[in-house]
Amino acid sequence: VADEQSSYRIGTDTAAERRERARLDALARVRDPRTFTLLERCGIAPGWCCLEVGAGSGSVSLWLAERVGPAGRVVSIDVDLRFHAPPPANVEVRAADVVHDSLPDGVDLVHARAVLQHIPEREAVLDRLVAALRPGGWIVVEDGDMRAFEAQALPEPMATVHRAMIEASKARLGWDPYLGSRLPDLLRTRGLVDIDIVGDTWAMRGGDDSGEWWFLALEHVADALPALSSVTRDDVAAALALARSPGFVMLGPLSIAVMGRRP
Ligand SMILES: C[S@@+](CC[C@H](N)C(=O)[O-])C[C@H]1O[C@@H](n2cnc3c(N)ncnc32)[C@H](O)[C@@H]1O
C-alpha cells in the first residue's frame, strides 16, 4: 500500500489535489458559519493576533484577517499549504507542523478545527496552543464525535465501508474519531476558564457540501482500503454510488466546539 494513499497526506497527482481542494472547500462551507459565530463570541477585535492551526483552505484565516484589520495579525499554519487561499497583507501563512515547529506567543485567539483529531500528539499540542495564549486569550477547538454516526443503520455495503474507513484511520493514522467529546475535559484540565461547549449535527447528502467532505475522503482511500480491511474496491464504489444517489440522506457526525479563556 502506497503510504500517501493510506495516510492523511495528499498525493501530488492532480486528481488527488483536485479532490482534496474540493473536500476542504466543502468542509469550510459546511462549518464556517458556526465557527464565525463562536469566534465573534470571543470578542475578536481590530488589532488582535490570531493563530489558525491546520488552516486547510484558509477560509477561517481570511475571515479573521478582516476582523483584526490592518493593525492585527493572523498566523495561518499548515503542514500542507497547497490548498491555502492567497493571503492578504495581515496574514502570515507558514508551512509549520504544530507538533514541533515554533508558534507565536502572546496570542489573543487560537483556533483549530478538525485538526487535533488527526494528530496523535494532540494532548501535547493542546499544551503548546494554550501556552501560546496571552493571559485572557481565547482558544476555540472543534472536533467530531463519530459515535452516533457509527450507530445509525446504513444499508450495505455502506455500513461496512464506513466502519472499515474509521477503523483503518484509527489504526494506521492515530485518528481519534471521538475526540470532540473529550475536548471539554482536555480544556478544563489545562486551567482554561469561561468554558462553553456547542455541538451539532446535520443531514449529509452526496453531491452536496454537507456530505462530500466525507465522501471525497472515502474516494481518497478507495485504493488503499482493500489492503487494510475486508472491503473490496467494488464495495467502496457501491457505497459511493449509494451516497450520491438521488434522495439519499444520512446522519453526520456530532461536531463539538469547545471554547475557553486562559485566566
Ligand atoms: C480536515 S483538514 C481541516 C482544515 C481546516 N481546519 C478546516 O476545518 O476547514 C485538517 C488540516 O490539518 C492539517 N494538519 C494535519 N496535521 C497537521 C500538523 N501536524 N500541523 C499543522 N497542520 C496539520 C492538514 O494538512 C489539513 O489541512
Side-chain angles (χ1 to χ4, degrees), residues 6-205:
S6 59
S7 98
Y8 189 79
R9 303 289 164 94
I10 301 305
T12 48
D13 97 274
T14 53
E17 281 185 347
R18 269 200 306 277
R19 191 168 50 225
E20 181 63 359
R21 185 179 301 281
R23 193 181 80 82
L24 287 171
D25 287 346
L27 183 65
R29 285 189 293 262
V30 170
R31 300 288 1 142
D32 277 358
R34 183 185 77 179
T35 296
F36 297 162
T37 300
L38 295 175
L39 298 177
E40 293 276 19
R41 280 182 49 195
C42 296
I44 183 161
W48 274 27
C49 171
C50 303
L51 172 62
E52 174 66 11
V53 179
S57 70
S59 65
V60 174
S61 299
L62 267 52
W63 182 90
L64 289 168
E66 275 188 17
R67 295 304 160 125
V68 302
R73 185 164 84 104
V74 179
V75 179
S76 187
I77 71 168
D78 202 298
V79 285
D80 185 348
L81 294 176
R82 277 175 294 167
F83 311 103
H84 200 292
N90 59 349
V91 177
E92 180 194 340
V93 179
R94 272 191 207 169
D97 184 331
V98 69
V99 179
H100 305 293
D101 292 329
S102 69
L103 301 174
D105 53 18
V107 172
D108 298 291
L109 174 61
V110 171
H111 174 248
R113 182 178 72 198
V115 179
L116 295 189
Q117 62 194 12
H118 296 295
I119 301 178
E121 304 87 347
R122 55 189 65 85
E123 297 203 21
V125 168
L126 258 181
D127 290 339
R128 303 190 77 213
L129 297 181
V130 170
L133 292 170
R134 66 156 165 85
W138 285 92
I139 182 167
V140 179
V141 185
E142 307 181 67
D143 280 291
D145 184 320
M146 304 293 284
R147 265 172 275 244
F149 178 97
E150 289 172 356
Q152 68 188 310
L154 290 171
E156 291 296 352
M158 190 186 252
T160 304
V161 168
H162 283 325
R163 233 181 353 260
M165 181 164 158
I166 291 169
E167 289 309 317
S169 303
K170 279 198 303 199
R172 301 261 313 179
L173 308 176
W175 180 41
D176 181 349
Y178 317 112
L179 179 63
S181 294
R182 293 178 53 219
L183 288 175
D185 186 57
L186 292 175
L187 264 62
R188 187 178 47 74
T189 52
R190 280 166 177 74
L192 295 168
V193 296
D194 296 337
I195 289 180
D196 202 4
I197 306 161
V198 175
D200 61 278
T201 183
W202 63 95
M204 287 172 64
R205 294 186 169 84

